[in-house]
Amino acid sequence: MRKCLLLFIACLASVCMLQAQLPQDTTVYKYMVAQPQGKMFSEKCKLKIDDGIKVEIVKDDNGKVINFTSYAAALMYITSQGWKLVSTYSMADGDVYNAFSDSETLTYWVFRKPSTKEEVQAIIDKSVNK
């Protein structure tokens, strides 16, 4: 009985030590939601982004709206900026008026990028209504 108890304690101690040595993921991420605007497979697409502080159409360094040639081009542009695509989803949106309906499917992409706790906290401070 003592041997079994001693063996159990030795196993428990080694598992606890192993757990303590495993790396802990302490990476902080900032997130962005993007919505491509324009018909899929068309030659003209804009990209609306929500970075947690503001929602706006993507513009170049001169403040001019960027028109992408496709959804794929918009996706590659954002990933080239260091963002990683982590999720996508679609939602139906529409109205009914006098028995006529108008609806569309909206696509959203969720991106994340490694950040610092301070930068994420600054975004939260600016974006939370108090």
Side-chain angles (χ1 to χ4, degrees):
M1 179 71 170
R2 285 184 139 185
K3 288 182 181 180
C4 288
L5 183 59
L6 194 58
L7 181 61
F8 175 74
I9 292 173
C11 289
L12 184 63
S14 61
V15 168
C16 289
M17 288 177 20
L18 180 64
Q19 181 69 24
Q21 293 175 358
L22 291 176
Q24 303 297 320
D25 184 14
T26 57
T27 306
V28 176
Y29 296 98
K30 60 182 176 178
Y31 289 86
M32 176 176 66
V33 178
Q35 178 194 9
Q37 297 184 319
K39 294 189 186 236
M40 192 168 209
F41 302 115
S42 70
E43 294 290 319
K44 195 171 185 182
C45 170
K46 294 178 184 171
L47 191 63
K48 183 191 285 188
I49 60 167
D50 174 356
D51 64 2
I53 299 173
K54 61 189 174 301
V55 178
E56 64 183 1
I57 302 291
V58 173
K59 298 177 182 172
D60 64 15
D61 294 335
N62 298 324
K64 186 178 176 191
V65 172
I66 299 175
N67 288 304
F68 299 97
T69 57
S70 66
Y71 279 25
L75 184 58
M76 286 185 275
Y77 174 81
I78 295 298
T79 58
S80 74
Q81 306 296 312
W83 294 92
K84 180 180 179 186
L85 181 66
V86 293
S87 181
T88 65
Y89 62 96
S90 298
M91 294 175 53
D93 185 31
D95 297 315
V96 175
Y97 181 74
N98 287 340
F100 293 99
S101 66
D102 179 32
S103 67
E104 64 180 331
T105 301
L106 304 174
T107 301
Y108 297 92
W109 301 327
V110 180
F111 296 92
R112 76 178 185 186
K113 181 190 256 189
S115 186
T116 63
K117 287 182 181 182
E118 294 79 19
E119 188 176 15
V120 171
Q121 189 60 51
I123 293 169
I124 293 169
D125 292 342
K126 289 179 184 177
S127 63
V128 174
N129 292 328
K130 296 178 182 178

